[in-house]
Amino acid sequence: MWNPFEVASRLKRIGLLGLNRRNADYVLKYNPRKFYPRVDDKLITKQLAIAAGIPVPELYAVVREEHEIRELHDKLAAYEKFVVKPAHGSGGDGILVIHGRRGQRYRRASGLLMSREDFEHHLSNALSGLFSLGGHPDHLLVEYCVEFDDFFERVSFRGVPDIRIIVFLGYPVMAMIRLPTRLSDGKANLHQGAIGVGIDIPTGITKRGVWGSEPIKEHPDTEHSIVGLRIPHWDTLLSIAARCYELTGLGYVGVDLVLDKHQGPLVLELNARPGLSIQIANGAGLLHRLKTIEALPDRERPPEARIAFAREHFHTV
Amino acid sequence: MFRQLHLLLLAAVLVATGAAAIYYKAQVLGLPLTPEEQAEVWTVQARVHYQPRRQANSVRLRIPKLTPGFTIIEERFIAPGYALLTEEDEGSRILRWTIRRASGPQHLYYRATVVRAGLADYQDGRPQLAEKPSLEEPFLTAANALLEEVRQGSADIASFARELIRRFNEQPPSQEVALLKQLAPDPLARARLLAGLLAFRNIPARIVQGLKLEAGTQRTIRPFLQVHNEQRWVTVDLDTAAEGWPEDLLLWTVGHEVPFAVEHHPRAALEVAIERNLADALLLAEQRLEAENRKLFEFSLFALPLETQQVYRVLLMIPIGAFIMLLMRNVVGVSTFGTFMPILIAIAFRDTGLFAGLIMFTVLIGAGLLVRFYMERLKLLLVPRLTSVLIVVVILMAGFSVLSHKLGIEVGLSVALFPMVIMAMTIERMSIAWEERGPGHAIRQGAGSLAIAAVAYLVMTWPPLVHFVFVFPEVLLIVLALAMLIGRYSGYRLTELFRFRALARPEASQS
């Protein structure tokens, strides 16, 4: 017999953070509304990051008006690969990854060709706000296309694996890496079928993976082990994530990073309402860690001290 | 902590205020907590409105005099600035309102409170032939032919009258009827013609005009035919040819005179609204309050015009629906399209009924999605595409109505309120979700929206609750307090227990 109260009390014991509590006690409390544009508009995020010396993918062009779409073909002629993103898109919606050209047509990351007309249609939709929250008119960013580190070659099916770190009051509290699968069609969203792999904060070693709701140890497409991997540049990744607190002014933020083959860690986007699946990937709740930090008498510390604290306390087993 | 206390105090104050007001109204004022079945009270409001001319204006309104089966316990005439004269004839009273100078749109009210008083129908008056219409050729021949046909198809006086009406309403009409119908453009004239035709066969017939006591606005005073079968008057419905006095028929006037007329104003209008009011208890309370302390009742919903009261019956239920949605979303964790869309769908279900509404919604969204996927190939811009989907939705709705009408299902016709724009947006968002997140996700959200709408609809139309909320709108303060408290509910949602079930396995260890 499934007893909801029993399940609830078990989840409570491991400190699982639910949506209501995330919103009521963390997002509403620590994320001032006025700072939301800093993360909701990727253009502002990028500008702030550059000013703060945090590495981000290089910006090639910004599209604000319908007519600029047609001019884009010439503007981008110099670049072989690039990514088009709606500035207010969420959860990877509306992102278009171009890996090359064939005559007049673009080749998408999936290998499919896309005519100029289709390309313009997609951009025009995005500009009209199809992918933005609330359907407001949007602008688009065209930026450097990340070439992922060889490290991930064996544990990823197409697409770019990204690293999500939850940063609370500047302390990195939990991390995971999201590995695209054949099922997720190269996308790195867990609910689309990507794998979430929990990362031990102190060491940067992957500990356990979750695909859908089942724990796994090997990548289903490449058969390669996904646990026990040591994420390269882990110190830099933590340092970048921790500094995003000063950057945004948001107390509870999800930092999405990628590892580029040439440029190392780059910040892809920030999220003021990061999802909760990271807890499944880590097999642990966020709540105990968040409360540990809330209980600190002197929690305003420089980034290095915060990282040191996190590495001391937040183990994933 | 302070914020928590603040919220708790505020909620406590709201609950206490609401509960106290409900207690006071129920216990001290004696307002009934549940809708009573036996003691129905109807408030009938006849409202004449017209644009006055510069000279003197005169309004004639016939009002009930004899009301077999009912008693008028209270009457009001509201016509500021008008002089009122009352006359009487055999079957009704005639109000004559006059004013020398009036400006702006004029609204005159007659309000009557009616309660049932046993079962009876109108039997007064001696049998008498109606006035024969003076028919010329070819109408005379047609009338005779029709009457002859009817005679062959009938056994007695009552069945003769019914057969005549049946033939008159037949679709398509016979040639004779089609011809005769030209003489009688409106229901009243038709009733008069039928009574006249019966006089050709020496059957005493007369017209009574009555109002069916069914709650709602835009009620009409309809003519009925009565024929005398040498023992009693038999009433026949002019639309259905059904025999017998309808139980809920309030006799308005006897004879073929129009119920109301404004001199020199052919376009003046009469609107009749009927409110099926609560119970005797409520009326008694109202009367007592008027004697003791009028202010309280004057500032309650019952003091509003009947049309407005009807609107508030619906409006006051919206917070209840919204509260249910709040529970479903924040406590259960059902995901929906848009925040309040399920409530709008639930309101739309009021017109269509639940089952038909669900089917219609599913069919329309499904068809809309197909259109949307097709349009995807045409590469239209967003706003023109949304507009196109909207237009297609309206066309589909029209088609749906026509089709259901042809199939003899009358549900599709009352869809004026169906939120089309919202439907178009839903189709758009659903198709995006379909492509980006997969069909499962899109269908889950759509089904979630529909499920919440269905639950909200069932609760929002549950009669005891509708009554309670209308009589005790203070209950909304309590709902407000609950909504605010849930605003600080930080426990798990029911669906999260399922989503994170992997973490709840006993062996899952602590970090």
Side-chain angles (χ1 to χ4, degrees):
Chain A
M1 188 62 198
W2 187 69
N3 179 353
F5 294 101
E6 199 188 318
V7 174
S9 81
R10 271 207 217 109
L11 291 179
K12 201 166 185 155
R13 208 158 48 237
I14 67 156
L16 181 91
L17 183 69
L19 258 186
N20 288 331
R21 178 167 287 234
R22 181 200 75 184
N23 290 342
D25 291 350
Y26 295 97
V27 172
L28 277 175
K29 201 164 160 189
Y30 293 104
N31 290 356
R33 191 91 230 172
K34 60 177 173 178
F35 294 147
Y36 273 33
R38 292 184 180 178
V39 294
D40 285 345
D41 186 333
K42 295 195 178 75
L43 190 57
I44 299 180
T45 312
K46 200 176 277 283
Q47 286 159 351
L48 285 172
I50 291 168
I54 290 175
V56 289
E58 187 194 341
L59 184 67
Y60 292 160
V62 178
V63 182
R64 295 175 193 276
E65 307 283 342
E66 194 77 31
H67 66 85
E68 289 173 333
I69 295 175
R70 301 189 143 271
E71 301 160 12
L72 206 56
H73 299 296
D74 295 332
K75 259 193 202 169
L76 294 174
Y79 307 107
E80 182 69 13
K81 297 180 171 184
F82 55 89
V83 179
V84 185
K85 280 183 186 174
H88 289 93
S90 65
D93 289 354
I95 292 180
L96 186 64
V97 183
I98 300 296
H99 269 183
R101 292 191 182 75
R102 193 180 183 91
Q104 286 286 307
R105 294 190 286 180
Y106 291 97
R107 184 182 290 283
R108 298 181 62 171
S110 56
L112 293 175
L113 287 174
M114 190 182 203
S115 70
R116 281 196 166 200
E117 199 190 10
D118 286 353
F119 178 79
E120 285 169 12
H121 180 66
H122 180 93
L123 265 59
S124 151
N125 269 340
L127 212 51
S128 312
L130 190 56
F131 307 107
S132 71
L133 292 166
H136 301 295
D138 206 349
H139 42 269
L140 310 173
L141 278 66
V142 185
E143 60 181 33
Y144 170 72
C145 175
V146 174
E147 288 180 51
F148 66 84
D149 199 296
D150 295 334
F151 174 75
F152 295 113
E153 196 78 63
R154 285 169 304 184
V155 289
S156 171
F157 182 81
R158 295 213 180 99
V160 180
D162 73 352
I163 295 160
R164 153 72 59 91
I165 303 179
I166 303 278
V167 179
F168 179 54
L169 296 172
Y171 294 79
V173 287
M174 200 175 267
M176 70 166 165
I177 181 159
R178 296 183 289 195
L179 305 172
T181 62
R182 188 187 297 275
L183 182 70
S184 77
D185 192 24
K187 289 181 181 161
N189 277 324
L190 292 196
H191 60 85
Q192 288 174 339
I195 303 171
V197 187
I199 305 173
D200 185 40
I201 296 264
T203 57
I205 292 175
T206 59
K207 290 290 184 180
R208 48 160 77 207
V210 163
W211 193 32
S213 62
E214 55 179 300
I216 55 167
K217 287 197 154 59
E218 282 94 30
H219 193 284
D221 301 320
T222 66
E223 299 274 330
H224 206 272
S225 175
I226 52 169
V227 297
L229 302 175
R230 185 180 290 272
I231 306 284
H233 306 289
W234 183 241
D235 297 340
T236 323
L237 285 167
L238 284 181
S239 150
I240 291 175
R243 278 191 289 153
C244 284
Y245 172 51
E246 277 82 13
L247 179 77
T248 57
L250 297 174
Y252 187 77
V253 68
V255 182
D256 288 351
L257 300 135
V258 283
L259 286 178
D260 186 76
K261 193 191 280 184
H262 312 291
Q263 304 181 18
L266 300 174
V267 171
L268 269 194
E269 61 176 293
L270 302 176
N271 201 322
R273 313 164 200 78
L276 301 168
S277 312
I278 193 169
Q279 300 176 104
I280 307 181
N282 277 275
L286 271 165
L287 206 52
H288 295 319
R289 300 185 179 188
L290 297 177
K291 288 210 164 140
T292 309
I293 292 165
E294 273 183 311
L296 284 181
D298 55 337
R299 57 187 188 213
E300 290 297 330
R301 303 178 187 175
E304 298 74 32
R306 297 196 302 250
I307 293 167
F309 181 87
R311 297 189 97 158
E312 197 175 319
H313 289 88
F314 301 143
H315 302 273
T316 291
V317 288
Chain B
M1 267 304 92
F2 171 73
R3 200 184 293 135
Q4 207 80 0
L5 187 68
H6 183 165
L7 179 70
L8 281 177
L9 278 178
L10 183 57
V13 168
L14 286 172
V15 170
T17 314
I22 291 171
Y23 180 83
Y24 177 76
K25 283 173 87 169
Q27 294 298 316
V28 183
L29 304 184
L31 297 175
L33 289 162
T34 52
E36 295 285 330
E37 295 298 320
Q38 306 93 328
E40 291 169 315
V41 178
W42 289 276
T43 309
V44 177
Q45 172 178 290
R47 169 172 175 260
V48 177
H49 61 98
Y50 72 100
Q51 280 290 345
R53 51 178 192 148
R54 286 199 169 272
Q55 297 98 331
N57 290 280
S58 162
V59 177
R60 267 164 62 97
L61 176 65
R62 283 175 179 269
I63 57 170
K65 174 182 164 192
L66 309 154
T67 51
F70 294 96
T71 308
I72 296 177
I73 57 170
E74 198 190 359
E75 275 187 325
R76 284 187 197 166
F77 313 98
I78 305 155
Y82 282 78
L84 175 63
L85 240 107
T86 318
E87 297 165 23
E88 275 190 28
D89 65 10
E90 191 196 339
S92 62
R93 288 172 296 164
I94 303 156
L95 299 179
R96 193 188 292 280
W97 275 306
T98 48
I99 193 164
R100 185 156 297 281
R101 198 172 277 262
S103 66
Q106 298 291 301
H107 300 284
L108 311 177
Y109 293 90
Y110 165 69
R111 255 195 197 201
T113 311
V114 181
V115 292
R116 184 172 283 289
L119 289 173
D121 63 358
Y122 180 57
Q123 289 294 342
D124 298 5
R126 274 189 299 168
Q128 205 177 350
L129 290 185
E131 192 188 335
K132 286 182 194 166
S134 50
L135 295 176
E136 291 167 19
E137 290 301 343
F139 299 106
L140 192 57
T141 318
N144 281 324
L146 176 64
L147 289 170
E148 187 51 35
E149 269 177 47
V150 170
R151 194 183 68 82
Q152 292 180 359
S154 63
D156 56 9
I157 287 176
S159 64
F160 188 95
R162 292 179 58 188
E163 179 66 11
L164 180 64
I165 290 169
R166 197 187 62 77
R167 288 194 182 251
F168 233 78
N169 291 341
E170 215 169 29
Q171 286 297 342
S174 66
Q175 283 187 342
E176 293 87 10
V177 170
L179 193 63
L180 287 170
K181 269 192 175 171
Q182 294 173 7
L183 297 173
D186 60 283
L188 204 51
R190 193 172 317 151
R192 202 175 164 190
L193 175 65
L194 287 169
L197 287 176
L198 289 167
F200 278 113
R201 294 282 155 160
N202 287 323
I203 297 174
R206 69 181 176 193
I207 297 161
V208 294
Q209 299 182 43
L211 182 64
K212 283 213 173 186
L213 290 178
E214 287 161 353
T217 55
Q218 313 281 354
R219 301 279 129 194
T220 46
I221 298 168
R222 281 177 48 202
F224 288 76
L225 192 67
Q226 280 194 321
V227 289
H228 201 275
N229 66 1
E230 289 166 349
Q231 279 135 30
R232 56 195 308 278
W233 290 99
V234 178
T235 312
V236 189
D237 191 304
L238 280 165
D239 289 341
T240 62
E243 188 181 318
W245 184 269
E247 230 179 72
D248 54 353
L249 188 70
L250 175 72
L251 178 64
W252 197 270
T253 171
V254 178
H256 59 256
E257 300 285 340
V258 288
F260 96 107
V262 181
E263 263 172 49
H264 310 293
H265 289 285
R267 292 204 358 241
L270 175 69
E271 276 175 17
V272 182
I274 301 173
E275 172 95 335
R276 178 177 169 276
N277 255 359
L278 307 163
D280 257 331
L282 196 59
L283 253 153
L284 289 175
E286 185 178 6
Q287 283 156 357
R288 198 176 65 239
L289 284 170
E290 265 179 299
E292 293 167 5
N293 176 5
R294 326 181 37 121
K295 287 285 178 287
L296 240 164
F297 228 74
E298 253 175 47
F299 288 97
S300 79
L301 288 171
F302 294 98
L304 294 173
L306 284 178
E307 289 97 337
T308 320
Q309 286 192 24
Q310 290 285 7
V311 170
Y312 272 99
R313 271 175 186 268
V314 180
L315 274 183
L316 290 178
M317 293 313 287
I318 291 179
I320 306 288
F323 182 70
I324 286 169
M325 205 201 43
L326 164 67
L327 286 180
M328 295 291 265
R329 278 175 66 111
N330 271 36
V331 179
V332 179
V334 182
S335 64
T336 61
F337 284 117
T339 313
F340 286 110
M341 198 187 81
I343 299 307
L344 293 171
I345 302 173
I347 294 170
F349 283 168
R350 290 180 60 91
D351 284 334
T352 58
L354 181 59
F355 189 62
L358 281 174
I359 291 179
M360 188 154 81
F361 194 86
T362 315
V363 169
L364 283 178
I365 293 281
L369 271 177
L370 288 179
V371 173
R372 167 66 182 73
F373 284 133
Y374 174 68
M375 285 191 179
E376 178 66 29
R377 304 163 137 237
L378 302 179
K379 308 287 174 208
L380 305 180
L381 293 181
L382 179 67
V383 178
R385 189 175 62 221
L386 273 180
T387 311
S388 313
V389 171
L390 178 71
I391 293 170
V392 172
V393 166
V394 174
I395 294 173
L396 285 173
M397 275 176 68
F400 198 86
S401 290
V402 171
L403 194 71
S404 65
H405 179 71
K406 279 286 168 215
L407 293 174
I409 316 163
E410 288 295 329
V411 286
L413 296 176
S414 48
V415 294
L417 263 173
F418 229 84
M420 285 168 298
V421 175
I422 286 174
M423 211 122 88
M425 289 297 291
T426 308
I427 290 169
E428 183 68 21
R429 288 177 65 170
M430 195 153 166
S431 71
I432 297 300
W434 194 288
E435 276 168 26
E436 296 273 336
R437 306 260 158 95
H441 184 85
I443 289 173
R444 202 157 50 240
Q445 277 202 348
S449 306
L450 274 189
I452 294 187
V455 174
Y457 164 79
L458 289 177
V459 175
M460 283 165 75
T461 53
W462 189 43
L465 191 65
V466 174
H467 163 91
F468 188 81
V469 175
F470 185 72
V471 178
F472 304 100
E474 296 80 7
V475 74
L476 292 185
L477 291 179
I478 298 176
V479 175
L480 173 65
L482 289 177
M484 282 168 28
L485 288 178
I486 293 180
R488 290 301 304 173
Y489 168 73
S490 57
Y492 298 125
R493 299 177 181 178
L494 208 53
T495 48
E496 282 176 345
L497 298 183
F498 181 74
R499 180 181 164 198
F500 294 108
R501 65 192 180 284
L503 293 180
R505 295 200 186 110
E507 69 269 29
S509 54
Q510 205 168 324
S511 67

